[in-house]
């Protein structure tokens, strides 16, 4: 049985860093995978650090044919709604998600990883993030109300045994900037209609608007996902890192289409207060597959 990379399910971490990587010119997918595979634990888990590695689907498939869902592809085209609203495609070759008990250990693990990859890959984007008031996002609403429990999540997140990519998962990573002034000047009752839930109790509105965030991302319509979202940024410039896992790409892609209004012309009202800055799909292989790929590539 394939074993998932454990950091996917490591809840309660206080600090996160997302390093999106591009291979240096002339470096092959095999060389990049071998280098990233060498960063696996225990080296990067010392001091309470969790390490999750993912790759552009096409690159991983080149190294390990048959070890990813056959329909999985990179985020290579913008998602554009009928009114012109755009979720940009910013696909990179790989991603390192480092999380830990405090920023110092994440900082040290990140610097060590970048040093080990020198000459093979560059960090194209770096984002640091942290939890906000336990389980709130920066809108002040609870994030992940519909998230499955840790007992249920593996069945939703991980590719089943016997399928291509068993034990791995599909990651959708997006960075969303918040229009804080516009949101905080909106009355709470109107905020609740934008989200589709009450702010304090996180109870779904009986008369939720069709364009509410809950309606446009209803997992009963598209399929379940497991979210590990975190706030990012500074006091004056911040937003949300969307970190969504699923065993299949389709629920994630359909959710984005719905948010942009591509399914029925109704755009997610929350997108009027948030702006997507990036978008990428990565295949996060099982720990066993990553070790095999590193050995065969190296």
């Amino acid at each position: 049985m394939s074993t998932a990379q454990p950091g996917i399910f490591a809840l309660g971490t206080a600090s996160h860093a997302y390093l999106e990587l591009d291979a240096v010119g002339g470096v092959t997918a095999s060389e990049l995978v071998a280098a990233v595979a060498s960063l696996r634990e225990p080296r990067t888990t010392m001091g309470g650090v969790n390490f999750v590695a993912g790759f552009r689907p096409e690159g991983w498939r080149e190294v390990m044919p048959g070890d990813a869902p056959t329909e999985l592809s990179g985020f290579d085209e913008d998602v554009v709604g009928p009114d012109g609203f755009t979720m940009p495609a910013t696909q990179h070759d790989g991603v390192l998600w480092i999380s830990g008990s405090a920023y110092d250990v994440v900082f040290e693990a990140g610097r060590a990883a970048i040093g080990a990859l020198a000459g093979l890959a560059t960090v194209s984007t770096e984002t640091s993030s942290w939890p906000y008031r336990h389980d709130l996002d920066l809108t002040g609403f609870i994030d992940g109300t519909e998230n499955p429990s840790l007992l249920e999540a593996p069945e939703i997140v991980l590719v089943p045994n016997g399928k291509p990519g068993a034990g791995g998962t599909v990651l959708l990573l997006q960075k969303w900037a918040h229009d804080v002034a516009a949101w905080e000047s909106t009355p709470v009752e109107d905020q609740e209609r934008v989200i589709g839930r009450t702010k304090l109790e996180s109870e779904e509105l009986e008369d939720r608007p069709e364009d509410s965030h809950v309606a446009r991302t209803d997992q009963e319509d598209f399929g379940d996902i497991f979210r590990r979202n975190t706030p990012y940024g500074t006091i004056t410039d911040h937003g949300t890192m969307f970190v969504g896992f699923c065993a299949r790409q389709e629920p994630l892609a359909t959710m984005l289409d719905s948010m942009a209004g591509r399914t029925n012309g109704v755009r997610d009202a929350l997108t009027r207060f948030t702006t997507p800055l990036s978008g990428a799909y990565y295949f996060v292989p099982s720990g066993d597959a990553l070790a095999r790929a590193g050995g065969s590539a190296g």
Side-chain angles (χ1 to χ4, degrees):
M1 177 178 294
S2 298
T3 303
Q5 295 186 43
I8 297 167
F9 305 107
L11 301 182
T13 45
S15 189
H16 303 256
Y18 307 91
L19 307 178
E20 293 187 86
L21 309 170
D22 283 321
V24 172
V27 171
T28 66
S30 292
E31 290 171 326
L32 176 62
V33 168
V36 172
S38 73
L39 302 175
R40 294 176 64 237
E41 58 264 295
R43 188 194 325 179
T44 55
T45 55
M46 299 300 290
V49 173
N50 301 291
F51 181 85
V52 175
F55 303 92
R56 177 195 294 267
E58 296 81 0
W60 174 256
R61 197 177 284 119
E62 179 182 331
V63 178
M64 294 290 284
D67 194 73
T70 55
E71 76 284 356
L72 178 59
S73 60
F75 201 138
D76 297 320
E77 296 183 2
D78 296 347
V79 175
V80 182
D83 63 354
F85 172 76
T86 300
M87 298 183 188
T90 59
Q91 184 69 52
H92 297 284
D93 292 328
V95 64
L96 304 178
W97 168 29
I98 305 168
S99 62
S101 56
Y103 187 68
D104 58 347
V105 294
V106 171
F107 177 84
E108 289 295 332
R111 282 179 51 82
I114 292 171
L117 295 173
L120 297 171
T122 58
V123 177
S124 297
T125 64
E126 173 190 353
T127 305
S128 298
S129 65
W130 26 267
Y132 176 63
R133 298 178 63 183
H134 181 57
D135 58 0
L136 301 185
D137 67 22
L138 296 182
T139 65
F141 284 74
I142 294 176
D143 193 14
T145 300
E146 294 186 357
N147 244 5
S149 69
L150 286 180
L151 292 176
E152 301 167 322
E155 293 186 6
I156 294 169
V157 169
L158 303 180
V159 177
N161 286 322
K163 299 288 186 180
T169 182
V170 180
L171 165 63
L172 170 60
L173 186 67
Q174 288 183 301
K175 187 174 184 177
W176 291 76
H178 289 206
D179 185 340
V180 179
W183 180 255
E184 293 183 349
S185 65
T186 301
V188 170
E189 183 177 347
D190 293 338
Q191 291 182 2
E192 291 177 337
R193 292 185 64 77
V194 168
I195 299 296
R197 291 185 179 276
T198 59
K199 194 165 189 176
L200 293 180
E201 301 85 5
S202 195
E203 295 177 354
E204 190 171 316
L205 301 179
E206 293 183 4
D207 59 342
R208 70 180 191 188
E210 188 180 7
D211 68 347
S212 68
H213 183 59
V214 169
R216 303 317 316 148
T217 61
D218 194 334
Q219 295 185 41
E220 292 184 3
D221 294 334
F222 310 127
D224 292 325
I225 64 175
F226 182 57
R227 290 183 293 169
R228 293 294 312 275
N229 298 359
T230 52
Y232 78 86
T234 65
I235 294 172
T236 58
D237 180 14
H238 47 257
T240 296
M241 288 298 291
F242 179 87
V243 185
F245 292 96
C246 189
R248 299 181 297 122
Q249 185 173 31
E250 182 182 9
L252 296 163
T254 306
M255 179 189 68
L256 296 188
D257 285 342
S258 174
M259 292 178 67
R262 294 174 66 171
T263 54
N264 63 356
V266 179
R267 177 177 151 193
D268 189 331
L270 186 57
T271 64
R272 305 189 187 283
F273 299 89
T274 58
T275 301
L277 304 178
S278 68
Y281 287 110
Y282 297 102
F283 185 64
V284 178
S286 70
D288 310 87
L290 187 59
R292 293 197 305 272
S296 63

